[in-house]
Amino acid sequence: VNMTFVKLQKSKAYFKRYQVKFRRRREGKTDYRQRKRLCCQAKNKYQSPKYRFVVRFTNKQVICQIAYSLIDGDRILTSASSNELPRYGLSVGLKNYAAAYCTGLLCARRLLQKVGLDDVYEGNDEVDGNVVSTTIGNTTYYVDEVDEDKRPFRALLDVGVKTTSTGCRIFGALKGAADGGLDIPHSEKRFPGYDRDSKEYDADMHRERIFGGHVGEYMEYLEEEDNTKYQAQFASYLEEDIEADGLEELYESVHEKIREDPSPSEKKAFSPDKSFKRTAKLTLEERKARVQAKKDAKNAELEAEDDE
């Protein structure tokens, strides 16, 4: 009998040398190739941290944080969430591009207020969608002017595992933080309005997106074409009496209020509901008695049926 030769694909040596990947890599939560480059600092910097501008989207909100890493984990310097925007007059659409811009702006102004740079670097008051940068020597700073005594606060954009496609909402938060006075290296190539083929950037299109113009256009279109769907999809907007024409004024007022007071709101004291009382566990005798009572009731029911 001729035996065919079968190559052993995964030998004992393979399994002996197999190394399990990091847990957060297995879960698909952390891109360690990206994280290493965002966190590793040159040794001549003497352990000064590399700050990251972290942007994450959940099902209901946008979260922006300024973080830095230590050997035992990350530390959060400051954070802002779009759930805070109702304080500033925006209570609907807390996950769109315009809300991401507002959250990035809030995070930037809050951080600069915390480190005492809010008066030195006020950012870009007139939102026009253009990329602002200043070059001093061989270094490019992404702010209007660089102070002689205090350099701007530099942070690197951390997108996590999100796809960085052109026009992504992550870049709305980035633009908000850059206009807020943070020094975040970036270009216009991923902003809405950039055409990769012609390599031209339409800043007006980006500005329209920052002020919710795309939402307003869709509201007007839906109101004309399918009013029933409009009433359902924009019910929260209608409750707040927000119309397509008033979106730009709304976002302008939100930007102004954020700049006036970016400080976090006071934490409310949490008092748990102590009225709930868990029922005591039955003892073995009580459980047996309960079962016997059910048996007796069933037997009595069967006897009554037999008598009839």
Side-chain angles (χ1 to χ4, degrees), residues 167-182:
C168 183
R169 290 170 298 175
I170 285 172
F171 301 110
L174 163 66
K175 181 60 177 166
D179 284 352
L182 286 187

Side-chain angles (χ1 to χ4, degrees), residues 32-49:
Y32 281 99
R33 180 184 175 87
Q34 179 196 72
R35 180 178 169 81
K36 179 190 173 185
R37 284 154 181 76
L38 285 172
C39 295
C40 282
Q41 181 67 283
K43 287 196 173 181
N44 62 0
K45 304 286 187 184
Y46 296 101
Q47 213 177 359
S48 61

Side-chain angles (χ1 to χ4, degrees), residues 142-293:
Y142 293 84
V143 291
D144 280 332
E145 295 179 357
V146 178
D147 189 69
E148 294 179 359
D149 299 327
K150 298 179 180 179
R151 284 181 296 176
F153 189 98
R154 169 156 288 198
L156 306 175
L157 178 64
D158 183 340
V159 299
V161 293
K162 185 85 169 171
T163 304
T164 52
S165 56
T166 303
C168 183
R169 290 170 298 175
I170 285 172
F171 301 110
L174 163 66
K175 181 60 177 166
D179 284 352
L182 286 187
D183 175 22
I184 304 177
H186 64 283
S187 69
E188 71 278 354
K189 289 186 177 179
R190 287 300 181 192
F191 285 152
Y194 182 80
D195 187 4
R196 189 172 61 179
D197 297 329
S198 63
K199 296 186 178 179
E200 292 179 354
Y201 174 55
D202 184 4
D204 293 333
M205 183 178 176
H206 190 191
R207 184 188 181 280
E208 184 185 4
R209 190 67 65 93
I210 289 170
F211 287 105
H214 59 302
V215 178
E217 284 179 17
Y218 186 59
M219 286 176 75
E220 291 172 352
Y221 164 77
L222 210 59
E223 190 175 11
E224 293 175 5
E225 297 294 326
D226 190 352
N227 195 47
T228 308
K229 190 177 179 182
Y230 169 75
Q231 297 285 342
Q233 190 157 342
F234 291 99
S236 55
Y237 283 73
L238 297 174
E239 284 178 14
E240 301 289 333
D241 294 327
I242 297 173
E243 298 180 354
D245 299 335
L247 282 175
E248 184 168 341
E249 293 179 7
L250 172 65
Y251 286 115
E252 282 178 353
S253 67
V254 171
H255 298 168
E256 288 177 8
K257 289 175 183 175
I258 287 173
R259 288 181 176 277
E260 286 173 8
D261 181 24
S263 58
S265 59
E266 293 182 5
K267 289 185 178 180
K268 295 179 182 177
F270 175 72
S271 55
D273 182 17
K274 296 184 178 179
S275 61
F276 175 76
K277 182 75 173 175
R278 192 183 300 275
T279 53
K281 188 176 179 181
L282 297 176
T283 62
L284 178 63
E285 289 75 14
E286 288 172 335
R287 292 201 300 275
K288 285 182 177 179
R290 189 181 175 196
V291 171
Q292 189 61 45

Side-chain angles (χ1 to χ4, degrees), residues 22-34:
F22 289 157
R23 177 180 58 81
R24 288 185 66 85
R25 171 63 191 90
R26 298 198 306 269
E27 293 172 351
K29 291 181 178 179
T30 299
D31 180 356
Y32 281 99
R33 180 184 175 87
Q34 179 196 72

